[in-house]
Amino acid sequence: MAAPKFGVDARTPLLNPQTRSHASLDSETVKALSGRASWLYQFATGAEAGGTDQQPLVPLTPSGRVGHDHSGPPYGSALQHPLWTIGGVQTISALTRDDGTNYYDSTIAFSIAATNNTIEPVLCARFYCRPFPEYENSPYSRAYLSVAALSASGTQTLKADLWAGDDPDSVQSATTSITDTSWPPQFWNPSTIYWNVKPGWNVHYVRFRCTTTSGVAIYSASANQIVKRSH
Amino acid sequence: MARKVNATFQGSITQQTDPGYPSQTEVIENAVGDTALTADMLTGDNTPGPGTIDHTGSGLGVPLGLPLGNRAFWVDDQNNTVSYLPRVSSYVASGGAYKPAYLFMIPIYLPTGETSVRLRVSGINDAEGGRMVCKNTSWADAGEVGEAYNAAGKYWEGEARSLTGGSLYFLGMKINVGPVEVVRRWSGVSVYFPGSSGPAQTITPPEQTNANWPQVPVNSQAGASSSVVLNQEDFDASMFADDTAYHAFLTTLTNHNQNALTEFLTGSPACGNAAYTLTSSTGSDPASSAFHDHSVSTHTNEGELDFPILAVPLGATEAASISSPDYATSLWGAPACTSASATVLANDVVMMPDFPDGTSTSRLKCVVLLTSPDGSKTGKTNETIACVTEDSGGVNTSHSSTAITWMGTSDWGYAVRGGSGNRMDFDAGAANQLRITVTDADGASAGVRARWVGYCWYFDGDG
């Protein structure tokens, strides 16, 4: 699917027959060349290009600003980055809290194993995504999971189930083998599953399961915008 | 050849392009010069007078408005066997007057061009009386702050205005601790810029765009590794001298230049074209990037960005000069390090942008905030931070330690890792693990060791 484009108005290109030798140099030619120069300048810089109506020539970005903000075509190539993060470290004696207990940041540095199938941790992220152009397969329309995890012993099978808060029936799942047993944790970046994202506030869930006996410790996870122009 | 490029945007007035108006060479001349100026500002080539587009506002590109961090804390399972939320149970153990405490504090780098920022605590059960705090690197109050608690929506939100972009700040939420115990829990912390007050203008869906329009030519040239990249035809300034004529070379190639620049800038096919003409060498971290994406690959002078990665609070702490914890069971207190050896404080796994990497080029930085719980910095001079970045192949790169800077006479300090002199490598356009290690060689007793309060990672376009 080709990326969407703005309407033709100020960006109307000329065709070769209009600009070649023996073509008449009419007002449309100079209007298009001059108008498009203004459009490009204003869209690039976000600054007033002067001229016609003292109005922005270009559409506002989805965030309501003048120019391009790299929120995905046609507002510029998107830039990869995390949309939300969650993380922790090992419980170690060298980090302590006020009450003398060992530091345990927080979140998800715990083990899950099939031998205790009541432990199927669900992470919930409430996060803000800046407004973006909404169309099928736009860069910000999807968020992809990244995980850092360790095996308790040998090869373990880790499964992740993802769903968005406003669409609990659309669960997507993937599994992987976790083989690393010593710090630092092993990467997992499943490419076949993703959350849908909407502009503004979102809620994402991910449930982890370990289907083998020894278990997996998950230390960090994130949801990410991973492409520049289209999925 | 004296290349035709305008030093500043010139444009034309509507009347000059109206039917019946005498044709003027300067209209075409300015279209050529303005197009060349825009191309230079986007690519950074030819040292454009107004500057290079780096999204710092003021005519150098609109600020991106990316959230500085969205941190999630909510974890649960059906039997609550691993349930976790940050929770701070607080009261003044000795009774008497209320005392202040920081529920959390986060270091942030405010991108250049931004002047205000919002802080939201999601899912909080009780935030009555919570106050927004914003400090600068002298630990002085910064900007104008305000806050509100939305009990129905279960969130607390603060805002700081009149700040200076391109600066470090420390944001947080302050509470008063009293004789009655209050247990506070929450599920997320976001630092963001609010979006528009209304919807953006609608873009035309592709199937409705120029459906019958012929394909338009895009000025392009071969790049490395089978890529096709932007090409701009230059024009000699003498072509616009008095008594010279318009000709097809001028009008045709200017049109092609503008088509190419449209595709380069918007990241979408030019005008009526159904597909891209320009192509990068690969989809992620290309050696030759066909589009304006600040990757500094094809265009080595492209502007580098202030770009946030994440911002994270680590735990609650007392306000300055309170000698001992006055919240009875601070289950989410900021941690202390009791070791002179490198100890992992935080580990995150994130996708990194396609920005310049390497230990000589990277703009990646990390800031860690800490405080002295006993109100004294005596004996607290040996704290350091160091960072490790790990690429998606599992290769670790260690970055040496940085000392703490205590802020004025306050009980707060911070350390910055990265930037000129101690740059940090990473894996561009791929998932990375970002790790912070800390040391504390002071040997003080656990009760008075420095507390590690929060951290952030970001790119500093200038540093």
Side-chain angles (χ1 to χ4, degrees), chain A residues 21-41:
Chain A
S21 300
H22 307 299
S24 61
L25 186 59
D26 58 26
S27 63
E28 185 181 351
T29 305
V30 292
K31 189 185 290 288
L33 293 176
S34 184
R36 294 183 70 207
S38 298
W39 194 99
L40 288 163
Y41 178 82

PDB file of all heavy atoms in Angstrom, chain A residues 21-41:
ATOM      1  N   SER A  21      10.092  22.782 -23.838  1.00  0.00           N
ATOM      2  CA  SER A  21      10.204  23.752 -24.926  1.00  0.00           C
ATOM      3  C   SER A  21       8.901  23.805 -25.710  1.00  0.00           C
ATOM      4  O   SER A  21       8.232  22.784 -25.914  1.00  0.00           O
ATOM      5  CB  SER A  21      11.345  23.357 -25.871  1.00  0.00           C
ATOM      6  OG  SER A  21      12.564  23.317 -25.164  1.00  0.00           O
ATOM      7  N   HIS A  22       8.576  24.984 -26.111  1.00  0.00           N
ATOM      8  CA  HIS A  22       7.383  25.284 -26.900  1.00  0.00           C
ATOM      9  C   HIS A  22       6.099  25.280 -26.078  1.00  0.00           C
ATOM     10  O   HIS A  22       5.030  25.532 -26.615  1.00  0.00           O
ATOM     11  CB  HIS A  22       7.229  24.329 -28.090  1.00  0.00           C
ATOM     12  CG  HIS A  22       8.465  24.261 -28.949  1.00  0.00           C
ATOM     13  ND1 HIS A  22       8.977  25.364 -29.606  1.00  0.00           N
ATOM     14  CD2 HIS A  22       9.307  23.236 -29.222  1.00  0.00           C
ATOM     15  CE1 HIS A  22      10.083  25.013 -30.259  1.00  0.00           C
ATOM     16  NE2 HIS A  22      10.309  23.729 -30.029  1.00  0.00           N
ATOM     17  N   ALA A  23       6.199  24.932 -24.782  1.00  0.00           N
ATOM     18  CA  ALA A  23       5.011  25.086 -23.946  1.00  0.00           C
ATOM     19  C   ALA A  23       4.835  26.560 -23.630  1.00  0.00           C
ATOM     20  O   ALA A  23       5.813  27.302 -23.503  1.00  0.00           O
ATOM     21  CB  ALA A  23       5.182  24.296 -22.658  1.00  0.00           C
ATOM     22  N   SER A  24       3.612  26.975 -23.518  1.00  0.00           N
ATOM     23  CA  SER A  24       3.395  28.376 -23.196  1.00  0.00           C
ATOM     24  C   SER A  24       3.675  28.607 -21.717  1.00  0.00           C
ATOM     25  O   SER A  24       3.302  27.802 -20.867  1.00  0.00           O
ATOM     26  CB  SER A  24       1.951  28.759 -23.515  1.00  0.00           C
ATOM     27  OG  SER A  24       1.060  27.991 -22.736  1.00  0.00           O
ATOM     28  N   LEU A  25       4.358  29.677 -21.406  1.00  0.00           N
ATOM     29  CA  LEU A  25       4.668  29.997 -20.010  1.00  0.00           C
ATOM     30  C   LEU A  25       3.485  30.779 -19.456  1.00  0.00           C
ATOM     31  O   LEU A  25       3.473  32.009 -19.460  1.00  0.00           O
ATOM     32  CB  LEU A  25       5.951  30.814 -19.924  1.00  0.00           C
ATOM     33  CG  LEU A  25       6.472  31.086 -18.511  1.00  0.00           C
ATOM     34  CD1 LEU A  25       6.756  29.780 -17.780  1.00  0.00           C
ATOM     35  CD2 LEU A  25       7.720  31.934 -18.558  1.00  0.00           C
ATOM     36  N   ASP A  26       2.487  30.045 -19.023  1.00  0.00           N
ATOM     37  CA  ASP A  26       1.297  30.728 -18.528  1.00  0.00           C
ATOM     38  C   ASP A  26       1.361  30.872 -17.013  1.00  0.00           C
ATOM     39  O   ASP A  26       2.285  30.400 -16.354  1.00  0.00           O
ATOM     40  CB  ASP A  26       0.034  30.015 -18.997  1.00  0.00           C
ATOM     41  CG  ASP A  26      -0.002  28.569 -18.553  1.00  0.00           C
ATOM     42  OD1 ASP A  26       0.628  28.254 -17.527  1.00  0.00           O
ATOM     43  OD2 ASP A  26      -0.652  27.756 -19.236  1.00  0.00           O
ATOM     44  N   SER A  27       0.331  31.470 -16.460  1.00  0.00           N
ATOM     45  CA  SER A  27       0.365  31.786 -15.031  1.00  0.00           C
ATOM     46  C   SER A  27       0.383  30.538 -14.176  1.00  0.00           C
ATOM     47  O   SER A  27       0.929  30.537 -13.074  1.00  0.00           O
ATOM     48  CB  SER A  27      -0.839  32.656 -14.670  1.00  0.00           C
ATOM     49  OG  SER A  27      -2.042  31.952 -14.902  1.00  0.00           O
ATOM     50  N   GLU A  28      -0.197  29.445 -14.656  1.00  0.00           N
ATOM     51  CA  GLU A  28      -0.203  28.229 -13.852  1.00  0.00           C
ATOM     52  C   GLU A  28       1.217  27.709 -13.617  1.00  0.00           C
ATOM     53  O   GLU A  28       1.529  27.163 -12.556  1.00  0.00           O
ATOM     54  CB  GLU A  28      -1.037  27.139 -14.527  1.00  0.00           C
ATOM     55  CG  GLU A  28      -1.177  25.901 -13.656  1.00  0.00           C
ATOM     56  CD  GLU A  28      -1.974  24.805 -14.340  1.00  0.00           C
ATOM     57  OE1 GLU A  28      -2.557  25.067 -15.395  1.00  0.00           O
ATOM     58  OE2 GLU A  28      -2.001  23.688 -13.806  1.00  0.00           O
ATOM     59  N   THR A  29       2.066  27.875 -14.596  1.00  0.00           N
ATOM     60  CA  THR A  29       3.438  27.403 -14.459  1.00  0.00           C
ATOM     61  C   THR A  29       4.157  28.145 -13.340  1.00  0.00           C
ATOM     62  O   THR A  29       4.744  27.539 -12.436  1.00  0.00           O
ATOM     63  CB  THR A  29       4.199  27.582 -15.785  1.00  0.00           C
ATOM     64  OG1 THR A  29       3.477  26.925 -16.826  1.00  0.00           O
ATOM     65  CG2 THR A  29       5.601  27.025 -15.686  1.00  0.00           C
ATOM     66  N   VAL A  30       4.120  29.460 -13.396  1.00  0.00           N
ATOM     67  CA  VAL A  30       4.831  30.210 -12.358  1.00  0.00           C
ATOM     68  C   VAL A  30       4.137  30.085 -11.013  1.00  0.00           C
ATOM     69  O   VAL A  30       4.780  30.071  -9.951  1.00  0.00           O
ATOM     70  CB  VAL A  30       4.983  31.697 -12.753  1.00  0.00           C
ATOM     71  CG1 VAL A  30       5.935  31.843 -13.932  1.00  0.00           C
ATOM     72  CG2 VAL A  30       3.652  32.350 -13.068  1.00  0.00           C
ATOM     73  N   LYS A  31       2.819  29.963 -11.033  1.00  0.00           N
ATOM     74  CA  LYS A  31       2.091  29.790  -9.769  1.00  0.00           C
ATOM     75  C   LYS A  31       2.497  28.472  -9.102  1.00  0.00           C
ATOM     76  O   LYS A  31       2.731  28.419  -7.891  1.00  0.00           O
ATOM     77  CB  LYS A  31       0.584  29.822 -10.026  1.00  0.00           C
ATOM     78  CG  LYS A  31      -0.269  29.868  -8.748  1.00  0.00           C
ATOM     79  CD  LYS A  31      -1.750  29.775  -9.072  1.00  0.00           C
ATOM     80  CE  LYS A  31      -2.273  31.007  -9.756  1.00  0.00           C
ATOM     81  NZ  LYS A  31      -2.385  32.168  -8.857  1.00  0.00           N
ATOM     82  N   ALA A  32       2.600  27.409  -9.883  1.00  0.00           N
ATOM     83  CA  ALA A  32       2.957  26.104  -9.311  1.00  0.00           C
ATOM     84  C   ALA A  32       4.406  26.096  -8.815  1.00  0.00           C
ATOM     85  O   ALA A  32       4.688  25.629  -7.704  1.00  0.00           O
ATOM     86  CB  ALA A  32       2.748  25.009 -10.348  1.00  0.00           C
ATOM     87  N   LEU A  33       5.311  26.592  -9.617  1.00  0.00           N
ATOM     88  CA  LEU A  33       6.717  26.591  -9.196  1.00  0.00           C
ATOM     89  C   LEU A  33       6.913  27.435  -7.948  1.00  0.00           C
ATOM     90  O   LEU A  33       7.628  27.052  -7.012  1.00  0.00           O
ATOM     91  CB  LEU A  33       7.610  27.094 -10.332  1.00  0.00           C
ATOM     92  CG  LEU A  33       7.696  26.197 -11.575  1.00  0.00           C
ATOM     93  CD1 LEU A  33       8.548  26.872 -12.651  1.00  0.00           C
ATOM     94  CD2 LEU A  33       8.262  24.833 -11.236  1.00  0.00           C
ATOM     95  N   SER A  34       6.301  28.587  -7.913  1.00  0.00           N
ATOM     96  CA  SER A  34       6.452  29.473  -6.766  1.00  0.00           C
ATOM     97  C   SER A  34       5.698  28.940  -5.556  1.00  0.00           C
ATOM     98  O   SER A  34       6.210  28.948  -4.428  1.00  0.00           O
ATOM     99  CB  SER A  34       5.943  30.870  -7.139  1.00  0.00           C
ATOM    100  OG  SER A  34       6.159  31.766  -6.090  1.00  0.00           O
ATOM    101  N   GLY A  35       4.484  28.454  -5.785  1.00  0.00           N
ATOM    102  CA  GLY A  35       3.673  27.950  -4.672  1.00  0.00           C
ATOM    103  C   GLY A  35       4.281  26.728  -4.026  1.00  0.00           C
ATOM    104  O   GLY A  35       4.280  26.586  -2.795  1.00  0.00           O
ATOM    105  N   ARG A  36       4.808  25.836  -4.828  1.00  0.00           N
ATOM    106  CA  ARG A  36       5.398  24.628  -4.256  1.00  0.00           C
ATOM    107  C   ARG A  36       6.683  24.940  -3.500  1.00  0.00           C
ATOM    108  O   ARG A  36       7.006  24.278  -2.512  1.00  0.00           O
ATOM    109  CB  ARG A  36       5.647  23.594  -5.347  1.00  0.00           C
ATOM    110  CG  ARG A  36       4.347  23.077  -5.948  1.00  0.00           C
ATOM    111  CD  ARG A  36       4.613  21.997  -6.966  1.00  0.00           C
ATOM    112  NE  ARG A  36       5.073  20.790  -6.323  1.00  0.00           N
ATOM    113  CZ  ARG A  36       5.853  19.889  -6.914  1.00  0.00           C
ATOM    114  NH1 ARG A  36       6.274  20.087  -8.143  1.00  0.00           N
ATOM    115  NH2 ARG A  36       6.212  18.799  -6.279  1.00  0.00           N
ATOM    116  N   ALA A  37       7.432  25.926  -3.950  1.00  0.00           N
ATOM    117  CA  ALA A  37       8.619  26.348  -3.201  1.00  0.00           C
ATOM    118  C   ALA A  37       8.215  26.846  -1.817  1.00  0.00           C
ATOM    119  O   ALA A  37       8.877  26.552  -0.808  1.00  0.00           O
ATOM    120  CB  ALA A  37       9.384  27.419  -3.969  1.00  0.00           C
ATOM    121  N   SER A  38       7.113  27.593  -1.757  1.00  0.00           N
ATOM    122  CA  SER A  38       6.616  28.083  -0.463  1.00  0.00           C
ATOM    123  C   SER A  38       6.161  26.922   0.409  1.00  0.00           C
ATOM    124  O   SER A  38       6.443  26.867   1.606  1.00  0.00           O
ATOM    125  CB  SER A  38       5.450  29.052  -0.676  1.00  0.00           C
ATOM    126  OG  SER A  38       5.853  30.173  -1.396  1.00  0.00           O
ATOM    127  N   TRP A  39       5.429  26.004  -0.212  1.00  0.00           N
ATOM    128  CA  TRP A  39       4.900  24.844   0.538  1.00  0.00           C
ATOM    129  C   TRP A  39       6.042  24.035   1.147  1.00  0.00           C
ATOM    130  O   TRP A  39       6.016  23.680   2.325  1.00  0.00           O
ATOM    131  CB  TRP A  39       4.073  23.974  -0.406  1.00  0.00           C
ATOM    132  CG  TRP A  39       3.206  22.959   0.278  1.00  0.00           C
ATOM    133  CD1 TRP A  39       1.876  23.067   0.552  1.00  0.00           C
ATOM    134  CD2 TRP A  39       3.613  21.672   0.776  1.00  0.00           C
ATOM    135  NE1 TRP A  39       1.432  21.934   1.186  1.00  0.00           N
ATOM    136  CE2 TRP A  39       2.474  21.069   1.339  1.00  0.00           C
ATOM    137  CE3 TRP A  39       4.828  20.992   0.807  1.00  0.00           C
ATOM    138  CZ2 TRP A  39       2.507  19.801   1.918  1.00  0.00           C
ATOM    139  CZ3 TRP A  39       4.868  19.732   1.398  1.00  0.00           C
ATOM    140  CH2 TRP A  39       3.713  19.144   1.943  1.00  0.00           C
ATOM    141  N   LEU A  40       7.036  23.738   0.344  1.00  0.00           N
ATOM    142  CA  LEU A  40       8.161  22.929   0.814  1.00  0.00           C
ATOM    143  C   LEU A  40       8.917  23.631   1.941  1.00  0.00           C
ATOM    144  O   LEU A  40       9.300  23.009   2.940  1.00  0.00           O
ATOM    145  CB  LEU A  40       9.111  22.618  -0.349  1.00  0.00           C
ATOM    146  CG  LEU A  40       8.590  21.603  -1.372  1.00  0.00           C
ATOM    147  CD1 LEU A  40       9.389  21.677  -2.666  1.00  0.00           C
ATOM    148  CD2 LEU A  40       8.644  20.190  -0.792  1.00  0.00           C
ATOM    149  N   TYR A  41       9.116  24.926   1.801  1.00  0.00           N
ATOM    150  CA  TYR A  41       9.839  25.674   2.830  1.00  0.00           C
ATOM    151  C   TYR A  41       9.063  25.640   4.150  1.00  0.00           C
ATOM    152  O   TYR A  41       9.625  25.394   5.219  1.00  0.00           O
ATOM    153  CB  TYR A  41      10.060  27.116   2.377  1.00  0.00           C
ATOM    154  CG  TYR A  41      10.765  27.969   3.401  1.00  0.00           C
ATOM    155  CD1 TYR A  41      12.156  27.944   3.520  1.00  0.00           C
ATOM    156  CD2 TYR A  41      10.044  28.790   4.263  1.00  0.00           C
ATOM    157  CE1 TYR A  41      12.802  28.711   4.476  1.00  0.00           C
ATOM    158  CE2 TYR A  41      10.685  29.562   5.221  1.00  0.00           C
ATOM    159  CZ  TYR A  41      12.064  29.526   5.317  1.00  0.00           C
ATOM    160  OH  TYR A  41      12.700  30.280   6.264  1.00  0.00           O
TER     161      TYR A  41
END
